[in-house]
């Protein structure tokens, strides 16, 4: 039993690292969303951005 566990140890360690990294990324995105920080890619110039209402719901699109 211990031999099989030792043979698969690199796979287990790699999986923990991958799942930990993905979990940290998801948690960071959730935390930023709760704080009101959004990943707006328009650079602040929302005049021609089709998703302006999604990035800045309080401001909306300017006429």
């Amino acid at each position: 039993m211990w031999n099989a566990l030792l043979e698969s140890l690199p796979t287990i360690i790699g999986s923990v690292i991958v799942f930990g990294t993905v979990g940290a990324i998801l948690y960071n995105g959730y935390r930023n969303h709760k704080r009101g920080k959004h990943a707006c890619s328009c650079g602040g110039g929302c005049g021609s951005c089709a998703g302006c209402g999604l990035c800045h719901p309080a401001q909306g699109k300017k006429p």
Side-chain angles (χ1 to χ4, degrees), residues 3 5-6 25 31 35 46 54 62:
N3 195 21
L5 181 65
L6 289 176
I25 291 169
R31 190 178 62 186
R35 290 181 179 175
C46 292
L54 298 173
K62 294 181 181 178

Side-chain angles (χ1 to χ4, degrees):
M1 180 177 140
W2 290 106
N3 195 21
L5 181 65
L6 289 176
E7 287 178 3
S8 62
L9 192 60
T11 302
I12 294 170
I13 292 172
S15 298
V16 167
I17 290 171
V18 168
F19 286 123
T21 303
V22 170
I25 291 169
L26 291 175
Y27 176 71
N28 190 28
Y30 173 74
R31 190 178 62 186
N32 285 341
H33 178 73
K34 286 302 222 182
R35 290 181 179 175
K37 296 179 183 177
H38 300 283
C40 183
S41 62
C42 64
C46 292
S48 63
C49 181
C52 182
L54 298 173
C55 290
H56 313 284
Q59 294 174 355
K61 263 194 161 187
K62 294 181 181 178

